[in-house]
Amino acid sequence: MLLCIFGIICILYYGAIVFYAGFRSTFAPFWLASGLALTGLGCLWDRLMSFEAGRAGAIALGIVAVLFFVAFLTIEIRIIGEAWHKADDGADYVIILGAQVQGTRPSRSLARRVKAGALYLKRNPQAMAVVSGGQGPGE
């Protein structure tokens, strides 16, 4: 049951990433695949537990899944908390992280980052901007 819940959380997280960044988000399919795999394993849990040989593996798998999701939730809560934090005025430099470009259009993530950087630079004209990123395939 717990693996099914974790699987559903992964699938919902995938949906949130797609809603925020669009279908072309590079890492989003990992969460969909993880969610489907965990949900499938959760459905097989009872069958694994019914076999003596499968019981130890099923318990180990469950422990690893729980530890993974505790670590994931801890890190993700901190990331989301910082994402909503507004930068203090007066910085000497602003780093705008790069993100995917789709043809000639910036991805939603990149557009949000550039917009936030531009707003900060309007409030703090003394700050210097450092824009990061590279050139991915097809860009």
Side-chain angles (χ1 to χ4, degrees), residues 15 19 24-25 29 31 36 43 48 52 55-56 60 65 81 88 99 103 112 119 136:
F19 177 76
R24 291 186 167 190
S25 176
W31 294 106
L36 294 173
C43 293
L48 289 172
E52 190 65 36
R55 186 171 294 151
D88 296 331
R112 285 185 177 106
L119 290 173

Side-chain angles (χ1 to χ4, degrees), residues 81-94:
E82 288 299 319
W84 293 105
H85 175 78
K86 296 294 180 193
D88 296 331
D89 287 337
D92 293 329
Y93 296 93
V94 175

